[in-house]
Amino acid sequence: MTDEFTLIIDGREVIARRGMTVMQAADSAGIRIPRLCYHPQLEPFAGCRLCVVEVEGMKTLAASCALPAAPGIIVRTDGERVTAARRLAVELLLSDHPADCLTCEKCGRCELQQYAYELGVREQPFVGERHYDALDDTNPCFLREYAKCILCGRCVSMCHDIVGAGAIDFAHRGFTCRVASPFGRPLQETTCVFCGQCVQACPTGALVERSRAGKGREWEFSTVRTICGYCGVGCGLTFYLNHGEIIKVEGDENNPVNRGRTCVKGRFGWDFLTRPDRLTSPLVRKDGELAPATWDEALQVVVSNLSRIGSEHGPDSLAFLASAKCTNEENYLMQRLTRQVFATNNIDHCARLCHASTVAGLALAFGSGAMTNPIADLRRAPCILVIGSNTSEGHPVIAYEIKQAARDGATLIVADPRRIDLCDYAAHWLRQRPGSDVALVNALMNVILSEGLADEAFIAARTEGFDDFRSSVTECTPEWAEPITGVPAEDIRSAARAFAGADATLRSSEATPLRSTRRAAIVYAMGITQSSHGTDNVLALANLAMLTGNLGKPNAGVNPLRGQNNVQGACDMGALPNVLPGYQRVDDDALRRKFEQAWGNELPSQPGLTVVEMMNAVESGQIRGMYIMGENPALSDPDICHVRKALEEIEFLVVQDIFLSETAAYADVVLPGAAFAEKGGTFTNTERRVQLVRRVLSPPGEAREDWRILLDMARTAGQDFGLDSESAVFDEMAALTPSYAGMSPARLDQAPLHWPCPSPDHAGTPILHTERFTRGKGLFHVVSYRPPAEEPDAEYPLILTTGRILYHFHTGTVSRRSASLDSLAPEGYVEINPATAAALAVADGERVRVSSRRGQIEIRCRVTERVGREVVFIPFHFAESAANVLTNAALDPQAKIPEFKVCAVRVEKAQG
Ligand SMILES: Nc1nc2c(c(=O)[nH]1)N[C@H]1C(S)=C(S)[C@@H](COP(=O)(O)OP(=O)(O)OC[C@H]3O[C@@H](n4cnc5c(=O)[nH]c(N)nc54)[C@H](O)[C@@H]3O)O[C@H]1N2
Ligand SMILES: Nc1nc2c(c(=O)[nH]1)N[C@H]1C(S)=C(S)[C@@H](COP(=O)(O)OP(=O)(O)OC[C@H]3O[C@@H](n4cnc5c(=O)[nH]c(N)nc54)[C@H](O)[C@@H]3O)O[C@H]1N2
Ligand SMILES: [Mo]
């Protein structure tokens, strides 16, 4: 290749590429140059002087981390002069460094200690004034001891350049220079998001995880690499253990998804695993109370009750909820148990509350409903539209990529009713009224069409249905959309131009050669899907991507961010009422027969009920027995007063969980499962990447892996599946699921793979629809704006929208049991705009009553500009102020997803 050249390092010929530094060239040749301030993910800081090298013809030594490699130069990385300079650098650092290596937490992993050892620096030769900063232990995640800080700047760069939090910086100059938060305030009072990237990057003992303190020396630890159990990003984590105890967690630098980064939950939110209130034995209700029982007894009680109900009232009187927290293997077994042993298709899971509209909408438009492009594509996308995704809180590690892209010149468009963190990086922020997305997106497309910005070639070659679609948006001018969405018409116009690549001012093609000005990626999540018109919203976004030719290519696509750690996998595994694994329809005789032959039973052919329909069917007496694995509908479903009534009334309920959840409290039998870190198997992340999960700990007490429980259950019911391990389950599943057919646990142990991966020699498919759509041509749909199911009126004048915060996960069963997460966000709240608060005469921090047609809660109010005047927001994580007491169970007609994002409420000052 033309941009390759050679240079000489330590007498060896080394091949380098244009743009490499001398340090990178040396690294690639296996020549190790010492370094302290350098970090491979960061811009060179060139402050520590440890990486100095001698270059022939240069008078002074040069910092190799910042020195461009050039053809023919002759470099020496060792020798007396270089060593003396390095030794001096280390001596100077040590002169102001506590010599407490023996008791320092980083002993054995401290890079300064290592270089002192290598360079033979035995004592502190310079005696002078020293820093004696007190230990700062004011935050729940990590300790800060700045006397040990060597000002390498890695933590500061991580915080600014990678995470975009900007919570710490260098303060003062000269001797008093130190890393500090603004005005030295506790980190909780800054923009810190407690991701801990600073801790992972720190080369000395200045930053140390709290959990690690006093727990042993680095060389005593063993490590296990696995995948995070929180959200759908699927970050690789490295667990450090000492004698079976978790000491700390770091981001796995070798995982291609996160490359060492994490959010606060992945890094610090794992202590729920060893809480004393974990379920450790099966419980069976006797005389009204849940009492410990043996596994044999519990399994017997479950099977005899479910079988009895099934034979008395028919198999469709039973319903099963699988779990997006569980592995692919477990979800595969759950649907096999449901269909084969209990002979019903009444199986569903939380994807119904989440991306059911994505699965339905994208299947209609493209033929398959998943993220079209990999996460890494966002980093080089010239334009990104984030609509209805609070990425910084829901998918933080993806937000790091988006923020870096924006800093590098990508045009970020945010469409969200709330002023979310990403608005700070956005060139355009469209604050639409909740529930008005179809009007907004149709208006964007109206502008693109009327200004001639559509990708005609793509439309002609790759799509159908365009003409009807085109005429359907001719009336949808920005002026038409303005009163519906609340977004000024001119803002819609400029965002549309930006999305279609017609604002070519910002691009820096030099720095990012992959960029083409016409590409744009769409990122969306619950703001789009959780609507009674969720499928229409998704179809509108699919139209927008096709209209601008943004499919089947890098740095573009329609990217629904999947929520739970394995919600993509639970859908792939057929934990859905209408499809078997691999989206093979239950009512397609040929496909169903394939499974009947493999399993040896006849299978039901009628699609079953969805989550909310199941709860309604309990009320009407149609569903009498229910088996819930790893879901907490008593808190997560809409209109929970109604759900709880159903759970109370149901004849027989089994809950398989790791804690006694709000739902488990209603159960007749509770089965103790194992958490993500206590089992093997696979998770499929939001970008369709299938990754191996590895066991870090043993399940507590008598708790069992969910897959084992499901196999035991089938056996108790007289059907031995003949499977005895996670990998045996995977192999059976892969043989029946074309998109996973080329995968095996052994292959995944080498590297994760994106589905579809149809054969063992197939490399996986990071980008979908490159040559053709799954359905052949992409299909444009006509979608018209319709208002939400419930609109504000005189009695309930405000719009409630609900969602997430960074520190908690869903119903809080795990995150609220993590000491650090709980301490960072101990209480629920309602966000109210200052003008609205003033009109209601409520002040920040006061308790208010929020009521809807379904119920009322009391909650503290947070007065903030994040929401507009007519909108209030409540995070749904807090059982004591549960948002879902208020929400509306109105469903999207196609996807059956409930309208979590819009209902009408009233807010009043709480009495007394
Ligand atoms: N910390 C944390 N992370 C999580 C989770 C968690 O519980 N906690 N859950 C995971 C799961 S399962 C999921 S599904 C994802 C969800 O991730 P997100 O979808 O990003 O999270 P939400 O907070 O539900 O809502 C996203 C945004 O939708 C906006 N919104 C509200 N109404 C509308 C509307 O009508 N239109 C538009 N366009 N936007 C609207 C809200 O203001 C909010 O900013 O997060 C995953 N990650
Ligand atoms: N108001 C409102 N409501 C919402 C939403 C919203 O935005 N607003 N979002 C909706 C969305 S997108 C989703 S995905 C749902 C989530 O709804 P759910 O899935 O019901 O919520 P989770 O709290 O994640 O429940 C998971 C349960 O599994 C247990 N668990 C964890 N790991 C394991 C395991 O390995 N094995 C077993 N057996 N159990 C385990 C946990 O203790 C917990 O009880 O909530 C929905 N509800
Ligand atoms: Mo979700």
Side-chain angles (χ1 to χ4, degrees):
M1 275 200 289
T2 49
D3 62 351
E4 273 188 4
F5 57 86
T6 55
L7 68 164
I8 309 291
I9 306 182
D10 295 344
R12 282 171 54 190
E13 253 190 30
V14 171
I15 298 173
R17 265 176 293 108
R18 204 158 56 91
M20 269 186 163
T21 61
V22 168
M23 181 188 277
Q24 285 166 335
D27 280 349
S28 71
I31 300 167
R32 177 85 186 157
I33 302 174
R35 77 256 343 238
L36 271 173
C37 67
Y38 174 81
H39 189 285
Q41 295 188 10
L42 302 172
E43 291 292 313
F45 181 70
C48 76
R49 305 296 296 166
L50 243 79
C51 71
V52 288
V53 293
E54 232 176 316
V55 182
E56 216 172 273
M58 275 174 74
K59 273 198 201 139
T60 53
L61 298 176
S64 61
C65 68
L67 180 68
I73 58 168
I74 300 173
V75 178
R76 284 218 45 139
T77 74
D78 54 10
E80 230 167 82
R81 200 171 152 218
V82 165
T83 307
R86 286 185 189 146
R87 188 176 297 125
L88 179 65
V90 169
E91 283 170 351
L92 283 168
L93 287 172
L94 282 174
S95 72
D96 183 23
H97 194 89
D100 65 349
C101 294
L102 286 178
T103 51
C104 177
E105 299 296 342
K106 285 278 178 76
C107 184
R109 203 200 197 188
C110 170
E111 294 170 34
L112 181 61
Q113 184 187 41
Q114 180 64 22
Y115 290 126
Y117 173 78
E118 282 174 18
L119 293 162
V121 180
R122 285 172 162 261
E123 39 197 74
Q124 295 169 312
F126 304 103
V127 185
E129 199 188 339
R130 299 183 56 159
H131 287 102
Y132 284 103
D133 286 30
L135 182 77
D136 174 354
D137 66 351
T138 52
N139 84 71
C141 300
F142 51 90
L143 305 170
R144 305 199 289 166
E145 193 179 357
Y146 280 126
K148 292 180 180 163
C149 174
I150 58 170
L151 298 177
C152 69
R154 285 196 210 168
C155 57
V156 172
S157 302
M158 278 290 171
C159 189
H160 286 254
D161 302 345
I162 302 290
V163 179
I168 48 171
D169 213 333
F170 289 109
H172 313 291
R173 278 164 190 272
F175 181 74
T176 54
C177 178
R178 61 210 297 283
V179 173
S181 56
F183 309 106
R185 285 201 304 258
L187 286 173
Q188 288 91 317
E189 295 170 24
T190 70
T191 49
C192 178
V193 289
F194 296 95
C195 65
Q197 247 70 249
C198 55
V199 184
Q200 185 162 339
C202 178
T204 70
L207 295 169
V208 168
E209 299 83 358
R210 218 171 236 285
S211 60
R212 195 212 170 296
K215 292 289 177 60
R217 303 309 185 77
E218 210 71 29
W219 59 79
E220 297 168 30
F221 301 161
S222 59
T223 56
V224 182
R225 296 172 59 205
T226 189
I227 303 302
C228 184
Y230 278 102
C231 85
V233 178
C235 293
L237 300 180
T238 307
F239 279 78
Y240 288 75
L241 296 130
N242 193 357
H243 293 99
E245 184 190 0
I246 300 174
I247 299 302
K248 63 169 178 174
V249 168
E250 289 191 340
D252 179 354
E253 311 258 355
N254 294 315
N255 183 291
V257 176
N258 57 315
R259 306 191 306 290
R261 302 144 194 203
T262 71
C263 76
V264 60
K265 295 181 294 303
R267 191 183 300 270
F268 298 113
W270 42 265
D271 45 328
F272 71 87
L273 290 165
T274 50
R275 282 277 136 159
D277 59 345
R278 278 286 302 270
L279 291 170
T280 53
S281 112
L283 305 172
V284 173
R285 195 172 291 278
K286 292 171 190 156
D287 305 324
E289 298 290 322
L290 285 170
T294 64
W295 270 107
D296 278 348
E297 182 189 355
L299 291 167
Q300 277 299 343
V301 174
V302 174
V303 167
S304 61
N305 277 286
L306 294 180
S307 306
R308 176 184 55 74
I309 293 171
S311 52
E312 281 173 14
H313 304 279
D316 290 338
S317 61
L318 300 174
F320 296 76
L321 291 180
S323 174
K325 303 251 58 105
C326 289
T327 61
N328 285 323
E329 292 73 4
E330 292 165 341
N331 282 287
Y332 175 82
L333 289 175
M334 186 65 166
Q335 61 85 38
R336 187 172 164 189
L337 182 83
T338 303
R339 298 189 157 114
Q340 182 185 348
V341 177
F342 294 104
T344 176
N345 280 318
N346 286 339
I347 177 165
D348 204 9
H349 72 283
C350 69
R352 188 66 48 197
L353 311 176
C354 187
H355 272 293
S357 25
T358 294
V359 175
L362 296 189
L364 290 170
F366 307 150
S368 62
M371 193 161 160
T372 61
N373 286 54
I375 295 167
D377 265 18
L378 293 170
R379 185 70 179 78
R380 298 258 175 272
C383 175
I384 306 172
L385 166 63
V386 175
I387 181 163
S389 154
N390 183 4
T391 328
S392 310
E393 304 202 51
H395 301 86
V397 173
I398 295 181
Y400 304 161
E401 303 283 326
I402 295 175
K403 292 187 209 179
Q404 286 183 75
R407 270 197 304 265
D408 281 356
T411 307
L412 178 63
I413 306 168
V414 171
D416 199 295
R418 293 164 62 228
R419 190 183 164 89
I420 54 174
D421 170 60
L422 284 183
C423 293
D424 290 347
Y425 294 78
H428 306 264
W429 171 35
L430 311 176
R431 171 178 261 183
Q432 75 274 48
R433 181 175 294 133
S436 65
D437 293 87
V438 166
L440 179 67
V441 178
N442 277 355
L444 290 172
M445 296 190 287
N446 172 286
V447 176
I448 288 169
L449 279 166
S450 62
E451 300 194 1
L453 302 173
D455 185 340
E456 317 240 334
F458 183 91
I459 294 166
R462 302 273 324 257
T463 69
E464 54 196 7
F466 178 66
D467 291 337
D468 287 346
F469 155 74
R470 179 212 290 268
S471 38
S472 75
V473 292
T474 45
E475 309 281 293
C476 302
T477 59
E479 283 68 24
W480 163 82
E482 179 171 323
I484 301 173
T485 59
V487 182
E490 263 328 293
D491 292 359
I492 297 178
R493 275 205 176 83
S494 51
R497 288 170 194 144
F499 186 84
D503 69 334
T505 49
L506 290 163
R507 313 276 138 52
S508 56
S509 56
E510 186 66 24
T512 52
L514 269 178
R515 290 213 164 130
S516 120
T517 45
R518 291 279 307 179
R519 296 212 178 146
I522 300 174
V523 169
Y524 75 89
M526 298 301 99
I528 286 298
T529 59
Q530 289 176 333
S531 151
S532 59
H533 314 306
T535 307
D536 286 349
N537 289 343
V538 171
L539 286 170
L541 292 178
N543 286 343
L544 176 62
M546 288 189 287
L547 181 66
T548 49
N550 274 305
L551 287 156
K553 49 179 81 156
N555 318 117
V558 176
N559 299 293
L561 300 182
R562 302 301 304 253
Q564 294 260 36
N565 53 319
N566 195 36
V567 66
Q568 181 65 56
C571 292
D572 300 344
M573 294 303 110
L576 296 169
N578 58 338
V579 288
L580 287 148
Y583 307 94
Q584 303 178 80
R585 299 188 57 93
V586 293
D587 52 9
D588 181 315
D589 292 343
L591 293 175
R592 198 180 60 256
R593 258 181 225 122
K594 183 172 74 169
F595 287 87
E596 290 176 343
Q597 266 159 19
W599 298 343
N601 284 69
E602 211 173 294
L603 299 175
S605 60
Q606 276 296 316
L609 297 177
T610 60
V611 172
V612 179
E613 290 174 323
M614 284 177 189
M615 292 301 171
N616 293 338
V618 171
E619 242 195 348
S620 69
Q622 187 196 335
I623 297 287
R624 290 161 181 267
M626 207 163 178
Y627 186 160
I628 301 177
M629 168 173 85
E631 299 226 320
N632 191 8
L635 209 50
S636 61
D637 276 8
D639 190 6
I640 48 176
C641 298
H642 174 90
V643 171
R644 290 176 175 192
K645 209 161 136 263
L647 293 173
E648 220 156 72
E649 280 170 10
I650 195 164
E651 200 174 315
F652 187 73
L653 176 66
V654 196
V655 173
Q656 182 170 317
D657 205 291
I658 58 173
F659 290 107
L660 195 71
S661 66
E662 285 75 13
T663 306
Y666 291 96
D668 298 286
V669 176
V670 177
L671 302 174
F676 78 101
E678 298 158 358
K679 52 196 176 192
T682 53
F683 290 157
T684 305
N685 81 348
T686 181
E687 52 175 0
R688 298 172 280 107
R689 205 193 281 252
V690 185
Q691 308 195 86
L692 272 197
V693 178
R694 298 184 185 84
R695 179 193 265 226
V696 177
L697 297 174
S698 300
E702 290 176 51
R704 285 184 190 171
E705 297 97 322
D706 295 277
W707 60 268
R708 233 182 255 283
I709 302 174
L710 295 164
L711 288 173
D712 292 343
M713 188 74 68
R715 218 173 285 122
T716 308
Q719 302 238 27
D720 195 330
F721 288 173
L723 299 164
D724 58 1
S725 66
E726 299 99 322
S727 56
V729 179
F730 190 95
D731 291 340
E732 176 182 299
M733 176 280 293
L736 292 163
T737 309
S739 51
Y740 283 69
M743 299 184 200
S744 65
R747 228 188 134 183
L748 294 170
D749 195 31
Q750 301 303 308
L753 289 163
H754 296 268
W755 67 249
C757 175
S759 60
D761 56 357
H762 192 285
T765 312
I767 303 180
L768 294 179
H769 319 304
T770 46
E771 308 285 321
R772 57 188 294 281
F773 286 93
T774 313
R775 67 178 293 284
K777 290 205 166 185
L779 180 59
F780 277 98
H781 283 79
V782 171
V783 278
S784 322
Y785 168 73
R786 283 171 296 139
E790 190 176 71
E791 292 205 279
D793 55 20
E795 204 181 344
Y796 297 101
L798 294 167
I799 301 176
L800 168 69
T801 190
T802 64
R804 292 156 173 81
I805 61 170
L806 174 65
Y807 298 106
H808 284 298
F809 208 83
H810 293 165
T811 64
T813 55
V814 301
S815 61
R816 297 194 76 195
R817 282 183 176 85
S818 161
S820 44
L821 298 178
D822 179 56
S823 138
L824 289 166
E827 196 186 3
Y829 55 85
V830 53
E831 289 178 357
I832 302 180
N833 181 277
T836 313
L840 295 166
V842 294
D844 188 53
E846 256 186 286
R847 291 189 73 79
V848 293
R849 184 186 311 126
V850 186
S851 356
S852 78
R853 291 194 169 78
R854 285 137 315 262
Q856 59 178 48
I857 59 172
E858 277 200 13
I859 191 167
R860 211 173 284 286
C861 79
R862 193 174 278 190
V863 176
T864 166
E865 301 274 0
R866 261 164 80 91
V867 286
R869 289 178 179 214
E870 51 171 358
V871 177
V872 296
F873 168 81
I874 302 180
F876 78 106
H877 312 295
F878 300 90
E880 63 280 12
S881 51
N884 281 327
V885 166
L886 306 167
T887 49
N888 186 358
L891 299 182
D892 175 275
Q894 279 154 296
K896 308 286 167 79
I897 193 171
E899 187 136 73
F900 285 124
K901 289 289 183 268
V902 189
C903 76
V905 294
R906 180 173 63 234
V907 177
E908 301 147 289
K909 222 184 185 89
Q911 250 90 63

